[in-house]
Structures are given as C-alpha cells and as structure tokens.
Amino acid sequence: MRQKPTVLAREIVATSRLFCVEEVQLRFSNGVERTYERLVGKGAGYGAVMIVAMLDAEHAVLVEEYCGGTDAYELSLPKGLIEPGEDVLAAAERELKEEAGFGARQLEHLTELSLSPGYMSQKIQVVLATDLYEERLEGDEPEPMRVDKINLRELASLAQNPQFSEGRALAALYLTRDLLSQRGAFPA
C-alpha cells in the first residue's frame, strides 16, 4: 500500500454558508510538493443518505427537484443530510417520507459513495428501501417534489435523459439492480 503524502500545512482560504475551501500543502514520498484545494462541509459533518426505494420488484422511486448546481430541475433518488444523533437507516426513512411520501418496512445499508474524491470530502450512504407504504412527513424542501419511477431494466435510457445527471444515483441504481438479480429478487 502506498504511503500517504505528508501534510505540510492546511488553511481555510474561503468559506460560504455550506462549504469551506481548504488549501492543503503536501509532500509526496518521492519529494514532490503540491498544493491541493478541497471542499469540506461546515459543521460536524454527520453525512448524507441516498435511498433506492423499490415500488415493486422492478421499479425504483425518483424525485424531481430544483438543483442549484445545475440551475435546473433534475430527477434523482431521494436523499438528504443525516441529522445529529440520527443513524443512517433512520435518516433514510425520514428523507424518503419527506421527499417521496413513502415509508419502508425494510431498510438495508448497501454502500458508501463519494461524489468527486479529488476535491470533495463528502460521502453519501446508499440505502435500499423495500416494502414501501404511503406516509408523508413535512420536510425542508421549498416546494413539493414530483415523484416519478424508473424500471431498473431501463437504466441505460435514464443515463441519456437530459433531466438526469447525478452519477452517484446512477451507480446506486445499477448496484441495486445487480444485488437484486444476485438474490433472485429481480424477475428474469
């Protein structure tokens, strides 16, 4: 295993309401020195969850919301921040109720994904939700989210949809499809 670079200095060079930009000066094992910048979340950093909620054996829930990063309404999976003292599965159930209007009788942590590890420290926990029932909680969204669905057999077409661009969500859907196929829970 490779030796991590030595940190020579760290400094917050910019801040916003949500993020800090940290400059990190590093020395690699071969003596080369570089300065990296990375986005780090503010506060305690409890993390985030993304939920693959299965309506039936083939269909997953998608939600449509306005995304400031792309300045567009986008389709994605329900997701949100984990609150202080909340575990991953409880956060997943709460976010699913707030964003899509469903609860789940079965929740399973699948994996952890990063968005862009080259310059972001944030990671998201992917949770599979099955045996859904209708239940809505008030959330912090500025407007109701439109709920849609995707057949796991049509993920290639979803990747071509101009309203869907989140790579983590696509990875989570493919992982779920493969897992359900391995378990024999995805119809042939």
Side-chain angles (χ1 to χ4, degrees), residues 4-69:
K4 286 174 49 173
T6 302
V7 176
L8 303 174
R10 292 180 187 268
E11 180 184 1
I12 300 296
V13 295
T15 60
S16 76
R17 186 176 56 84
L18 297 175
F19 299 102
C20 295
V21 177
E22 181 182 49
E23 184 178 87
V24 184
Q25 295 180 14
L26 303 170
R27 179 180 299 124
F28 289 82
S29 60
N30 62 359
V32 173
E33 293 184 10
R34 289 284 190 274
T35 300
Y36 281 56
E37 289 183 349
R38 69 183 195 139
L39 288 177
V40 291
K42 284 183 134 180
Y46 298 101
V49 293
M50 175 178 281
I51 306 100
V52 181
M54 298 301 298
L55 290 165
D56 56 38
E58 295 184 35
H59 295 90
V61 172
L62 295 176
V63 292
E64 179 190 61
E65 69 177 315
Y66 177 78
C67 297

Side-chain angles (χ1 to χ4, degrees), residues 6 22 43 46 69 93 96 120 122 136 155 158 160-161 171 181:
T6 302
E22 181 182 49
Y46 298 101
E93 175 127 31
L96 183 59
M120 294 180 76
Q122 290 83 2
R136 180 163 298 282
L155 295 181
L158 181 63
Q160 302 303 313
N161 184 331
S181 291

